[in-house]
């Protein structure tokens, strides 16, 4: 029975990743992706935060918080994989720059495909990793479906509008099924990490990444929230593809799942707070404008 569930879980990973990328491509145009990325300085700081600062944070955490080798591998995987498909939802909740959020998500995802195969063997010298296998799986499962979706949207907009909701629903269903199956298959392992250093390490990674991204996010709050959330929300899909395909120890996947759950909780709360502050600032601005209007009328 366990073997069957493991096979279904593996299939759920594939379905979730492919359909989420397809749904994203069917809902976007190339101009929507590239337009917000013309600000070179803003893009450079986002790349710096995601691919330099966050991995450094992960290694500092590993130096401070002792973890097993599989847990360390999972933490490093999360630290190196960026560009989560869930980012636009968080940005909408935060009342941030949604266009920039979409563009940043795709940019980070593309860079991740090239970055992870090159950097992971250097960061994990004691672990045998095949860079070509990693790059191939990420390209086939993530970039290719995204490109197909963009092509269909560009040439057959009506078809894209019809198919996109179905792909999104399939992706959500596969994600729920995957989480349930992983919890069932790894329940004892997940319970075993409660109260250990892994929870502390993952929370530190999420919170510190959020703070760093926010501080490097530019002059406006709308972009700060995008870069902050984009830096903290690691690409669990890419990490799962690499982790499940290249590491036999189940604790690697357990670390990724626990990290995904913690990210979901922390970042939903953070995006909600960003959204409340944005609405509050907007309301204050409207009140100030309204209070000035009578005076200008009287003059």
């Amino acid at each position: 029975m366990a073997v069957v569930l493991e096979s279904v879980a593996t299939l759920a990973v594939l379905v979730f990743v492919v359909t989420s990328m397809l749904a994203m491509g069917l809902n976007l145009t190339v101009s929507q992706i590239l337009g917000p990325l013309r600000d070179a300085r803003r893009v450079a700081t986002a790349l710096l935060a995601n691919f330099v600062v966050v991995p450094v944070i992960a290694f500092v955490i590993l130096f401070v918080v002792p973890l097993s080798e599989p847990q360390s591998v999972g933490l490093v995987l999360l630290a190196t994989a960026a560009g989560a498909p869930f980012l636009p939802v968080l940005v909408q909740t935060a009342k941030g720059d949604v266009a920039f959020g979409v563009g940043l998500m795709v940019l980070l995802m593309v860079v991740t495909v090239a970055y992870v195969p090159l950097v992971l063997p250097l960061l994990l010298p004691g672990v045998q990793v095949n860079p070509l296998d990693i790059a191939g799986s990420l390209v086939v499962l993530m970039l290719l479906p995204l490109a197909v979706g963009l092509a269909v949207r560009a040439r057959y907009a009506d078809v894209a509008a019809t198919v996109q909701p179905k792909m999104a629903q399939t992706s959500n269903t596969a994600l729920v099924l995957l989480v349930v199956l992983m919890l069932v298959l790894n329940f004892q392992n997940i319970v075993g990490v409660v109260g250990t250093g892994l929870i502390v390490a993952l929370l530190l990674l999420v919170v510190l990444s959020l703070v760093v991204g926010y501080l490097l996010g530019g002059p406006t709050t709308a972009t700060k929230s995008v870069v902050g959330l984009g830096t903290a929300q690691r690409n669990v899909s890419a990490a799962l593809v690499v982790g499940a395909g290249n590491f036999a120890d189940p604790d690697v996947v357990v670390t990724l799942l626990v990290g995904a759950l913690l990210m979901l909780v922390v970042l939903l709360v953070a995006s909600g707070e960003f959204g409340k502050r944005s609405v509050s600032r907007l309301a204050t601005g409207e009140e100030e404008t309204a209070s000035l209007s009578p005076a200008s009328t009287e003059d």
Side-chain angles (χ1 to χ4, degrees), residues 69-71 73-75 77 239-240 242-244 247-257:
E69 182 178 286
Q71 292 172 345
V73 170
L75 189 74
L77 278 176
L240 281 171
V242 177
F247 302 98
D249 197 309
D251 282 350
V252 174
V253 174
V254 170
T255 300
L256 298 179
L257 287 174

Side-chain angles (χ1 to χ4, degrees), residues 9 40 61 75 78 160 170 173 281:
I61 292 172
L75 189 74
L78 287 175
T170 302
T173 303
R281 280 190 297 271

Side-chain angles (χ1 to χ4, degrees), residues 15 44 97 127 129 136 140-141 143 173 180 186 202 216 251 255:
V15 172
D97 187 336
V127 177
V129 178
V140 172
L141 296 177
L143 288 190
T173 303
V180 171
N186 300 283
L202 290 169
L216 294 176
D251 282 350
T255 300

